Amino acid sequence: MKPTNPLPLAALISAGLPAFARAATTPAGAGPILNAVTWMHDTLLGEVASGLAVIAVAMVGFLMLTGRINWRYGATVIVGCFILFGAATIVGGIQSAAG
């Protein structure tokens, strides 16, 4: 069985959460949930995540240059990082195009 790459899935899951939390009106009693989503957003896009993404891209780039990893997998990791960190801009562009 071939292992799957969890990075694109994590990028898709985290891309919609902050936009949904900001776009929806806040119902009564949703304060803790909103705080949890905000914490997750800050964690995923904070300094630690940026450092880990830089290390991941550097490692994947090195493995691609030495021929130890498939170029398609390497490109998937790099594109996943761009989607993760550009999610707010992507959602803003979709929202402005839709309405």
Side-chain angles (χ1 to χ4, degrees):
M1 186 169 156
K2 186 176 180 182
T4 59
N5 183 5
L7 187 62
L9 179 61
L12 289 175
I13 291 171
S14 65
L17 290 177
F20 177 77
R22 291 185 194 127
T25 58
T26 307
I33 296 171
L34 185 60
N35 290 339
V37 171
T38 303
W39 175 83
M40 186 181 301
H41 175 262
D42 293 341
T43 302
L44 288 174
L45 298 178
E47 304 237 351
V48 174
S50 297
L52 290 176
V54 168
I55 293 170
V57 170
M59 286 176 43
V60 167
F62 178 73
L63 291 173
M64 286 170 44
L65 288 174
T66 58
R68 296 180 184 177
I69 194 171
N70 186 356
W71 281 80
R72 176 179 274 176
Y73 178 74
T76 302
V77 171
I78 294 170
V79 169
C81 288
F82 281 118
I83 290 173
L84 178 65
F85 291 109
T89 305
I90 293 169
V91 170
I94 292 171
Q95 286 177 344
S96 67

